[in-house]
Amino acid sequence: MEDKELAIKKDPRKYAIYSRKSKFTGKGESIENQIELCKQFINNKFEGVSEDEILIFEDEGYSGKNTNRPEFQKMLKAIRNNEIKIVACYKMDRISRNLSDFVAMYDEFQDYNVEFVSKNDNFDTSTSMGRAMLQITMVFAQLERETIAERIRDNMRELAKSGRWLGGTTPTGYKSTQITGSITFDGKERQAFKLDIIPDEAKTVKLIYSKFLETKSLTQVETYLMQNKIKTKNGKDYTRFSVRSLLTNPVYVTADKTMLEYCNDKGISVYAEESKFDGKYGIMAYNKTAQTVGKANKIKDFNEWIVAVGKHKPLVNSKDWITVQTLLSQNNSKAYRKPRSNVALLSGILHCAKCGAFMRPKLTQRKNADGELIYDYLCETKEKSKSVICDCKRVNGNKLDKAICDEIKNLTIDKSEFSTQLKSMERKLTDSVKEYRNNIANLEKVLNKNNQDIERLIESITSADSTSADSLIKEKINRLSAENETIEIQINENRIAIDNQNLSDLNLEILKSTLENFSSTFDEMSIEQKRVALRTFIKRIEFDGEDVQVYMNTDEEFEINQEEVSANAKEPLRADSE
């Protein structure tokens, strides 16, 4: 048993099997067949797995177009409770037919150290090859994600007139409370809700507005909140983006004459009589964000907003809120800037070893010996907290990128360990196909013998008078027939396994071809192509202020210390200047 498989076997968490079928038809890939095949796969891969170690999640009659399925959500909850170590399914599309959903799901699996196995697609992230192939799939999926904008229907505009809370994530400072009465939507009556203040959260909201008016800086507000350990309602650190989102939310502002004039000046559609802007309640704004799958929400133009007077108490007066909007429109935060040339290769896979945060590129005004502007990678937590929470040194991005690229190119030459692993995988695939074919041959021999025995037993019944032995003969015929049915299933499973191995062999050839040409073609690739290529091989990189640790998708790892990189260079790998 390989080290990875042994580690999984010793892990006390359980195995999960997920099965789904859009509707019950009585044929094809039934729920029962999916579960049975996954059980066989788990038992073949990890010997001695008992029924008690396997959790079954079944969604019958649910489409794969999204993940809003009861058993799937139940499985995710178990994963988040650290109860599951492997998720197995019959085919990847049983999990989701939407590639974006699958990528998001697998990101969460990685966060909880959960492996993923798809029996028929040969995705098995407990193996080096499975992780490498899935990484390639996910990288290109991320590049090709489609974005679908959600539109507000016409009857939502009419509903906005009620000023009720229509659902969704409640803004910081408020909770949703059911009220007497109902509202009509799509011809159906629904319960009505309004927002009530949560005192502690409301204090945080007022503090954020006050600090921004004082400092006029998102970055300084972010730093203040981080240094004072003030968290979001979800227990996370505030970022400049979450602070900005809170500051631009009109739910906090008082609905008075000043706010009405502001709305009219900005071309915002107001669905409330002027008399309701009397300063008693807050604003309800609808259709103000463009929600795109895989991307942060974007504020729409004012002329697309729909504004009504709500039923909740406001937290910020209109004068302060409008002043904040004016300052934000003038505020170009300089706390974080990506390199203008966008040449940094490791953003997204480079982490601070001290706190685990991402290290992001920041362009400097210095130039290296080649005349290139130097960019450094900085720990996000250190930068945002002004070194209060983390003190990891920045690292010279030009040199680190080059060092990583050189190491990967070295790994892809013919005699490298990475190439040796691929050749070993190729041998295993060949051996597996031989084993499956031998299994088929042996099973067919047993099948033929059983058929011959059945024929002889039938002849013995028909050629002789009825005797007391007839019942025993018929019982044996039935037993042999049942055994033949099992053998035919096993033969079919071995044939499917061969087909899957042939697919794996094709994937292996693609990866081998990439490796063979990698060293010679890498320097000619575009920046984006280089990023994709590096992520094919690299899982994670960590920098601790001195040395760099690289974790590969093949379970290999290597270390780069600053002396190796800086031996023939004027600048050190670590950049001490802040």
Side-chain angles (χ1 to χ4, degrees), residues 510-539:
I510 293 171
L511 194 53
K512 282 173 60 182
S513 176
T514 302
L515 283 173
E516 290 169 0
N517 299 303
F518 187 88
S519 183
S520 60
T521 61
F522 182 79
D523 291 335
E524 304 300 322
M525 292 181 183
S526 68
I527 295 298
E528 192 59 40
Q529 288 171 332
K530 286 181 179 180
R531 289 196 187 99
V532 172
L534 289 175
R535 283 157 177 75
T536 300
F537 302 111
I538 298 174
K539 177 165 54 180

Side-chain angles (χ1 to χ4, degrees), residues 342-400:
N342 200 27
V343 295
L345 297 177
L346 306 181
S347 183
I349 56 175
L350 178 61
H351 296 257
C352 171
K354 291 191 173 184
C355 70
F358 284 110
M359 297 191 73
R360 300 297 192 188
K362 187 171 183 179
L363 196 68
T364 71
Q365 297 304 310
R366 296 175 288 121
K367 291 187 177 182
N368 60 20
D370 297 324
E372 301 169 334
L373 283 174
I374 296 172
Y375 55 93
D376 297 333
Y377 288 107
L378 286 75
C379 169
E380 281 188 329
T381 300
K382 177 189 177 179
E383 183 184 21
K384 292 176 180 178
S385 70
K386 303 302 181 186
S387 301
V388 170
I389 296 178
C390 183
D391 62 354
C392 185
K393 299 291 185 181
R394 66 173 68 187
V395 59
N396 184 299
N398 308 70
K399 292 190 173 299
L400 180 58

Side-chain angles (χ1 to χ4, degrees), residues 77-115:
K77 185 177 180 180
I79 288 172
R80 291 161 186 160
N81 290 335
N82 208 31
E83 298 170 7
I84 292 173
K85 58 185 173 183
I86 281 185
V87 173
C89 67
Y90 177 67
K91 291 174 66 178
M92 194 170 74
D93 66 3
R94 298 302 86 192
I95 291 283
S96 177
R97 293 186 182 277
N98 184 315
L99 200 52
S100 295
D101 283 348
F102 178 78
V103 170
M105 175 213 72
Y106 184 67
D107 284 342
E108 186 164 5
F109 278 19
Q110 288 184 304
D111 290 341
Y112 290 94
N113 194 29
V114 174
E115 304 294 348

Side-chain angles (χ1 to χ4, degrees), residues 161-209:
K161 294 178 181 179
S162 69
R164 308 294 188 184
W165 174 248
L166 302 184
T169 303
T170 53
T172 300
Y174 293 103
K175 63 181 178 181
S176 177
T177 304
Q178 185 177 343
I179 58 178
T180 304
S182 62
I183 51 178
T184 302
F185 178 49
D186 285 342
K188 299 179 182 178
E189 281 199 353
R190 306 197 180 219
Q191 294 174 335
F193 295 85
K194 73 180 184 72
L195 295 177
D196 279 338
I197 289 176
I198 302 175
D200 288 343
E201 290 185 11
K203 289 179 182 178
T204 299
V205 172
K206 292 178 179 179
L207 174 64
I208 290 173
Y209 272 88

